[in-house]
Amino acid sequence: ERMQAETGTSGFARLGPRHHLWIACEDEQPSQLLGVAQLSMCPLANAHHRGEVQGLMVHSQSRGRGIASRLMSRLECAALAQGRTLLVLDTPAGSQAEAVYAHLGWQRAGEVPDYDASADGQLHSTARYYKRLQMP
């Protein structure tokens, strides 16, 4: 498969200059999306060392192939290249994603109750994770 990075300075200008998106697709069929990851760089004056993973999604038929690991590796390298040494994210508490993030070396910081609402209005908890990055 192939991974392509898009930033606010390229064709995906609507992302903005502080947002980055990685797209994984099949080499043979570039239109077949395998997964995506999105990173936002915190613009606050006291947080230029921090970024937030705003999404990691892998197609259900593509799971178990290391796509999430490769997307997150690219994301982390890009964050480091921009001087970001701390990343944070949230994911639904109790979801399969929690196991993925733990496997990738992320630390669970806690849980926030009633963080997200589903389409029917039901409230759900979210788990907060962080990862400290170091230059190789």
Side-chain angles (χ1 to χ4, degrees):
E1 73 252 2
R2 165 172 66 99
M3 294 199 193
Q4 178 176 341
E6 296 289 347
T7 68
T9 59
S10 69
F12 288 7
R14 289 186 293 172
L15 287 173
R18 298 190 194 285
H19 299 279
H20 306 274
L21 179 69
W22 289 265
I23 302 168
C25 53
E26 288 286 357
D27 281 333
E28 299 82 32
Q29 294 179 309
S31 63
Q32 185 176 346
L33 182 67
L34 301 177
V36 297
Q38 185 173 345
L39 174 66
S40 176
M41 303 299 186
C42 190
L44 301 174
N46 66 346
H48 286 284
H49 66 290
R50 187 174 76 220
E52 181 176 358
V53 176
Q54 293 189 325
L56 170 65
M57 293 175 274
V58 175
H59 192 284
S60 59
Q61 293 177 345
S62 299
R63 293 183 182 152
R65 295 174 44 190
I67 294 167
S69 296
R70 288 192 296 280
L71 282 166
M72 291 300 282
S73 177
R74 298 258 178 119
L75 182 149
E76 292 170 14
C77 287
L80 269 173
Q82 293 194 26
R84 307 302 166 131
T85 56
L86 178 68
L87 296 179
V88 296
L89 63 82
D90 61 72
T91 194
S95 68
Q96 289 179 329
E98 285 203 75
V100 172
Y101 293 124
H103 174 75
L104 296 176
W106 288 73
Q107 302 296 310
R108 195 177 203 267
E111 193 169 307
V112 181
D114 301 338
Y115 188 79
D116 286 318
S118 58
D120 65 2
Q122 186 174 4
L123 298 176
H124 301 278
S125 298
T126 193
R128 294 289 289 171
Y129 281 80
Y130 70 93
K131 187 171 187 180
R132 293 181 186 272
L133 304 178
Q134 297 179 357
M135 291 296 217

